[in-house]
Amino acid sequence: MNDNLDNADATGWQDFANCLGVDPDLFFPERGASTREAKEVCKGCVVREDCLEYALSNGEKFGIWGGLSERERRRIRRQRALARRTALEAEAATESAGSASA
Ligand code: SF4
């Protein structure tokens, strides 16, 4: 099982993890080593979304979480940050257009 799940908040989702009983080293491969086997385990995991969101919200920098590598999670964080910024800019533009017409 992904070792870091032992430190997870009391969410309960980890009880359903597909990686329970699986060698934790599989999820923390050496740099450059294959992540394929870990991702295969994650592929059929019913709590994959919970696991990924946990890793994203806790800034987990290492290992495979929710079937994604560090680099893949970084990409999601960047995309979300960009989407948040775009939404805030759109909101600010709408408010300023509204106050200009008032
Ligand atoms: S998505 Fe992968 S790492 Fe996360 S709980 Fe499931 S099997 Fe474990």
Side-chain angles (χ1 to χ4, degrees):
M1 177 181 178
N2 192 336
D3 253 357
N4 284 351
L5 293 183
D6 293 341
N7 302 323
D9 295 329
T11 55
W13 58 265
Q14 63 267 32
D15 293 344
F16 303 96
N18 225 20
C19 52
L20 284 172
V22 177
D23 180 3
D25 289 347
L26 206 63
F27 295 87
F28 296 91
E30 295 291 320
R31 183 174 286 273
S34 172
T35 58
R36 198 170 50 84
E37 276 185 84
K39 287 181 173 181
E40 279 299 316
V41 176
C42 296
K43 207 179 263 181
C45 183
V46 295
V47 293
R48 192 173 163 173
E49 290 290 317
D50 300 281
C51 179
L52 178 59
E53 289 306 322
Y54 174 85
L56 290 170
S57 60
N58 286 283
E60 292 291 348
K61 289 194 170 57
F62 305 104
I64 303 296
W65 291 82
L68 300 185
S69 66
E70 299 94 352
R71 196 185 324 161
E72 292 164 330
R73 291 196 305 277
R74 264 201 309 276
R75 192 179 312 138
I76 289 179
R77 276 201 294 272
R78 273 199 304 272
Q79 286 169 346
R80 286 185 179 181
L82 184 64
R84 271 196 304 273
R85 198 171 337 138
T86 305
L88 282 174
E89 285 169 4
E91 196 179 299
T94 304
E95 281 174 13
S96 98
S99 63
S101 66

